[in-house]
Amino acid sequence: MSAARDSQARRALSALRHDPPAVAGAVVLLALVVVGTAGRWLAPAGVNDVDVDQMLHPPSWAHPFGTDELGRDVLSRVLVAARVSLEVGVVSVGIALLVGAGIGLVAGYYRGWVDNVLMRGMDVLFAFPVLLLAVAIVAVLGPGLLTAMIAIGVVYTPIFARVTRAGVLSVREQVFVRAAVSIGASDLRIIRRHVLPNIAAPLIVQTSLSLAFAILSEAALSFLGLGIQPPAPAWGRMLFDGRGFVTEAWWLGFFPGAAIFLTVLAFNLVGDALRDVLDPRQLTLGEASRSTT
């Protein structure tokens, strides 16, 4: 089974390398990681260096992205804000993945009343619009980076719970799982050795797609003043600050908006490609087409 999974992983990587949109998305994400890691060193100026003589200057050689209403360099703030978006996206989706996958595993494997109780709880969370529930959680806990991570993690937990449960319900009926049960293997061993490896593909795809929506949610919270608090830079907050200068200083909203757009697009391109190459039906069709040529 390990050799089969390795072979499937190699085929998936080969398919990704021959998918131009996926490669472009991966390049953008790699650049984002580099910028997020080294943004403070790459920034040409301090993110909060105020210079009233340089207020609202358009893009130039000195300031490629222009300056804001306080004379701060927009490029520097966009670069440093990338780290915040990555942190919120990765941590919040990590929370949703761990909690949601745990709930889905228990609900799908044990079923019965355990399944009903856990999944009805997830249905309650699903009943709320994502942004509205995130705003409510932040309003209770108070605005800030940590609360934004928790809020976004909570609202995306039901998605991972449902994806995991659906996979577990399918896998637990397979012959190899029944064989493991018949020889007396413990539930923990069955879940760890047989269930989790066979539901990893949809979880990987869901994680990549959820990262895009988590970054959008963080930008929305920051735009509403409930996410990252000034003077720390955040793409959503920069959009909020630039909304009053649309006609006078278009660059204030354009560059942070473009950063959000490119990041979300890159995650979606990679996520869509992963969904295609990790879909067993696509792999089967690919093998069939190769065997007929």
Side-chain angles (χ1 to χ4, degrees):
M1 185 177 297
S2 177
R5 287 198 296 268
D6 291 341
S7 177
Q8 179 180 349
R10 285 194 296 270
R11 289 196 298 268
L13 289 175
S14 177
L16 285 176
R17 286 198 298 268
H18 292 85
D19 187 344
V23 172
V27 170
V28 172
L29 293 182
L30 179 60
L32 180 66
V33 171
V34 172
V35 169
T37 303
R40 292 192 180 275
W41 292 274
L42 295 175
V47 294
N48 292 314
D49 290 349
V50 176
D51 187 352
V52 294
D53 294 329
Q54 298 291 324
M55 291 190 303
L56 298 179
H57 274 215
S60 61
W61 286 111
H63 301 283
F65 285 8
T67 61
D68 63 10
E69 71 279 7
L70 297 177
R72 298 174 297 189
D73 184 67
V74 175
L75 172 59
S76 300
R77 294 178 64 79
V78 169
L79 292 176
V80 174
R83 180 185 182 91
V84 173
S85 293
L86 279 179
E87 284 182 352
V88 173
V90 171
V91 173
S92 61
V93 172
I95 293 172
L97 173 61
L98 291 176
V99 178
I103 292 173
L105 276 170
V106 173
Y109 188 82
Y110 291 104
R111 297 192 294 186
W113 68 269
V114 175
D115 184 16
N116 287 330
V117 171
L118 292 177
M119 296 314 296
R120 295 300 78 76
M122 296 297 98
D123 289 341
V124 171
L125 292 180
F126 249 127
F128 294 92
V130 170
L131 185 57
L132 180 61
L133 181 57
V135 169
I137 294 173
V138 174
V140 172
L141 299 179
L145 177 62
L146 180 60
T147 53
M149 293 176 179
I150 294 173
I152 297 172
V154 169
V155 299
Y156 285 106
T157 293
I159 298 176
F160 284 95
R162 284 191 170 185
V163 170
T164 304
R165 175 181 178 272
V168 174
L169 288 175
S170 175
V171 170
R172 76 186 305 275
E173 301 301 327
Q174 299 296 320
V175 174
F176 56 86
V177 174
R178 293 183 178 180
V181 173
S182 66
I183 63 175
S186 65
D187 291 343
L188 182 60
R189 180 179 176 82
I190 294 173
I191 291 173
R192 181 170 57 86
R193 295 292 299 274
H194 301 290
V195 176
L196 275 176
N198 287 283
I199 65 171
L203 287 178
I204 292 171
V205 174
Q206 186 59 54
T207 298
S208 63
L209 295 175
S210 294
L211 283 167
F213 292 108
I215 289 175
L216 273 178
S217 299
E218 181 277 324
L221 289 175
S222 295
F223 184 87
L224 296 173
L226 298 173
I228 312 305
Q229 297 300 297
W235 289 339
R237 184 68 192 188
M238 293 174 71
L239 281 174
F240 176 83
D241 293 336
R243 81 195 193 288
F245 301 93
V246 175
T247 58
E248 302 161 340
W250 56 268
W251 55 89
L252 295 186
F254 175 81
F255 290 112
I260 296 172
F261 169 77
L262 289 176
T263 302
V264 173
L265 177 62
F267 273 118
N268 282 328
L269 290 175
V270 173
D272 287 341
L274 286 172
R275 180 177 55 197
D276 292 338
V277 302
L278 294 178
D279 187 345
R281 292 170 298 180
Q282 296 292 336
L283 291 174
T284 303
L285 290 174
E287 292 175 351
S289 64
R290 284 194 295 272
S291 64
T292 57
T293 57

